[in-house]
Amino acid sequence: MTRILVTGSYGQIGTELVGVLRKKYGGENVLATGRKKPPAILNEDGPYYRLDILDENQLHTMLVDYDIDIIIHNASVLSATGEKNPQLAYRTNVEGTYNVMEAVRILGLEQALVPSSIAAFGPSTPRDNTPNDVITRPTSMYGVTKVFVELFGEYYKLRYDIDFRSLRYPGVISAEALPGGGTTDYAVAIFYEALKEKKYTCFLGPDTRLPMMFMPDCIKSTIDLMEADNEKLKHRTFNVTAFSFTPAELAEEIRKHIPEFEIDYEPDFRQQIADSWPMSLDDSVAREEWGWKPDYDLPAMVEEMLEKLSKKLGLEY
Ligand code: AKB
């Protein structure tokens, strides 16, 4: 059975990804790792270990001791935190990825899957239906580190035939762990406030359109790419998306369920980051090469988010 190590496994995506991987591959075969204390659910059905991705000795030891085949490197500093602390973003995202790729090369692991983001694009990228292969000149530190991830991984593929794979995640919406330090985080926070206060102040303007996906699709895209036939992949980095919306459109969709919900807008420094990103993505390359297809559209996502969160928070709507 394939054995998988996930970094950043207490994060928004890692928390749910580990659970789904464990159901599929067996609890003992999926090693959850992270720098902080994990949420209780991570310890329930498989091992969790503290791992600082900047400690290469610890990383090598863990990969050898647990006989790991695939590493999914989710640990990353996101866009808003990256602007507040570019040096931290550099160390975690660039040096962390360097350590992972070197470990894969030296120990001969089967595969490294290291996510990228829509942040890899920049103001000179066409923003509508942004193609897979297009100019990437980001202006955020997070974006700069994600371009490094893509190019470094692709270089290791060319030079050492390392099986590197990457997805450019859009904003990801989920009801379990909260996202932290991103520009698309408003699209999660809005649901908590809609249920608790019936009111939300958005840190992006009403017409800021960004590509997004619901967590079940995010997990599906990650596992589908991980399991895709290596021979069929012509690319190594893939756009993936499900839908695009603005804060005003999301509020309108939420109002279909909570008619009294109100939104106002106080854009902050994250507006400039969002304005440099695509408004929608062309993910046809992922569709062609490994059959990517999302299950959720905007209305289905909103319905399920409200249902799950209201149960979790014990709030009626
Ligand atoms: C962020 O907003 O920084 C992330 C991302 C789009 O990668 N959610």
Side-chain angles (χ1 to χ4, degrees), residues 12 77-80 116-119 142 146 169-172 179-185 211 273 277:
Q12 184 200 13
V77 169
L78 299 186
S79 55
S116 181
S117 157
I118 52 168
Y142 175 56
K146 286 301 177 187
Y169 288 138
V172 177
T183 301
T184 58
D185 293 9
I273 301 176
W277 289 355

Side-chain angles (χ1 to χ4, degrees), residues 48-281:
Y48 173 91
Y49 287 97
R50 282 197 185 204
L51 169 67
D52 180 354
I53 201 62
L54 296 178
D55 183 342
E56 36 180 336
N57 288 335
Q58 198 195 5
L59 175 65
H60 284 226
T61 305
M62 216 167 266
L63 292 169
V64 172
D65 284 357
Y66 288 90
D67 203 10
I68 296 295
D69 302 296
I70 296 178
I71 179 162
I72 302 182
H73 178 39
N74 267 351
S76 180
V77 169
L78 299 186
S79 55
T81 307
E83 285 319 285
K84 287 189 189 145
N85 194 342
Q87 294 72 22
L88 176 70
Y90 174 82
R91 284 181 61 76
T92 308
N93 301 1
V94 173
E95 291 179 9
T97 300
Y98 173 84
N99 286 348
V100 165
M101 295 305 296
E102 269 295 272
V104 171
R105 179 182 74 82
I106 292 165
L107 302 174
L109 262 58
E110 205 175 283
Q111 186 191 128
L113 194 153
V114 189
S116 181
S117 157
I118 52 168
F121 299 114
S124 51
T125 305
R127 295 186 67 208
D128 240 341
N129 213 23
T130 303
N132 204 83
D133 304 322
V134 72
I135 188 162
T136 49
R137 292 189 60 80
T139 46
S140 69
M141 186 61 197
Y142 175 56
V144 170
T145 67
K146 286 301 177 187
V147 170
F148 171 82
V149 166
E150 295 181 5
L151 296 182
F152 189 65
E154 292 182 13
Y155 175 78
Y156 266 44
K157 165 73 185 139
L158 265 178
R159 177 77 196 257
Y160 303 113
D161 200 24
I162 304 278
D163 184 354
F164 165 81
R165 305 176 184 201
S166 185
L167 298 138
R168 291 191 185 118
Y169 288 138
V172 177
I173 299 149
S174 66
E176 290 291 338
L178 282 168
T183 301
T184 58
D185 293 9
Y186 90 85
V188 177
I190 193 172
F191 286 96
Y192 284 82
E193 297 309 306
L195 285 165
K196 285 198 275 196
E197 309 291 341
K198 313 273 185 264
K199 188 171 180 345
Y200 177 64
T201 301
C202 187
F203 58 75
L204 297 181
D207 303 321
T208 313
R209 185 174 301 284
L210 289 169
M212 301 273 181
M213 64 173 30
F214 195 27
M215 186 59 88
D217 278 329
C218 174
I219 304 293
K220 184 170 89 154
S221 69
T222 309
I223 296 179
D224 283 0
L225 177 59
M226 185 191 90
E227 292 176 344
D229 182 353
N230 196 25
E231 301 302 311
K232 296 215 170 101
L233 301 182
K234 295 192 200 80
H235 291 74
R236 290 286 141 184
T237 303
F238 297 90
N239 286 359
V240 283
T241 186
F243 39 75
S244 286
F245 56 75
T246 65
E249 287 165 356
L250 178 57
E252 201 46 51
E253 196 60 44
I254 292 174
R255 262 195 290 272
K256 290 182 186 161
H257 304 265
I258 308 175
E260 63 276 38
F261 175 59
E262 283 173 27
I263 184 164
D264 58 13
Y265 303 92
E266 282 176 20
D268 65 16
F269 72 100
R270 288 168 279 196
Q271 185 66 51
Q272 204 185 342
I273 301 176
D275 288 343
S276 75
W277 289 355
M279 295 190 287
S280 58
L281 290 186

Side-chain angles (χ1 to χ4, degrees), residues 22-37:
R22 281 181 174 164
K23 280 204 184 87
K24 227 179 151 180
Y25 287 86
E28 287 305 310
N29 293 319
V30 180
L31 190 60
T33 69
R35 222 160 34 90
K36 296 182 202 151
K37 207 171 162 338

